[in-house]
Amino acid sequence: MNSTGHAFVTVFVLAAIAAVSVGGYGLGTGRLPLAAAAYTVATLLLAAVAREANRAAAAPAAARPRPGRPLARLRACLQARRATRTPCGCDRYWTSAGTAHDDWCLMHDGSETS
């Protein structure tokens, strides 16, 4: 919901509170037509609030701002690390420029195939 929607909801809710107050006054003084009119106005205002809330919820996803993702950078780093990791989990042997496994690696014997 944008700032205009928030302003509409605020005005409608305050007007509905005032209408309910006038309706209560009408009931207290015995003016039933005034109370009925005030409660009708309050009902219409609350229906307008519900419509505004539904309109904001039904907005297309492209129109809504995307929430910030503070962990997005960390997730991207972890995904890149997983993509460059060897299947066995060891670092490739530095003297072979990454084509062979370390001597202690379980995949050392089949390093040409993996």
Side-chain angles (χ1 to χ4, degrees), residues 32-72:
L32 295 181
L34 174 66
Y39 286 134
T40 303
V41 168
T43 303
L44 292 175
L45 288 169
L46 292 177
V49 168
R51 179 184 176 272
E52 185 66 31
N54 285 337
R55 192 174 66 108
R64 281 186 258 163
R66 187 172 180 201
R69 298 187 62 188
L71 297 178

Side-chain angles (χ1 to χ4, degrees), residues 3-101:
S3 59
T4 306
H6 283 289
F8 278 135
V9 167
T10 303
V11 169
F12 290 159
V13 167
L14 291 175
I17 291 171
V20 168
S21 175
V22 170
Y25 170 75
L27 284 178
T29 59
R31 299 181 188 172
L32 295 181
L34 174 66
Y39 286 134
T40 303
V41 168
T43 303
L44 292 175
L45 288 169
L46 292 177
V49 168
R51 179 184 176 272
E52 185 66 31
N54 285 337
R55 192 174 66 108
R64 281 186 258 163
R66 187 172 180 201
R69 298 187 62 188
L71 297 178
R73 191 172 185 178
L74 177 65
R75 287 185 184 128
C77 290
L78 289 174
Q79 185 180 6
R81 195 168 119 203
R82 283 187 202 114
T84 58
R85 192 181 310 163
T86 59
C88 63
C90 76
D91 294 325
R92 296 292 179 124
Y93 195 56
W94 67 274
T95 57
S96 65
T99 59
H101 290 272

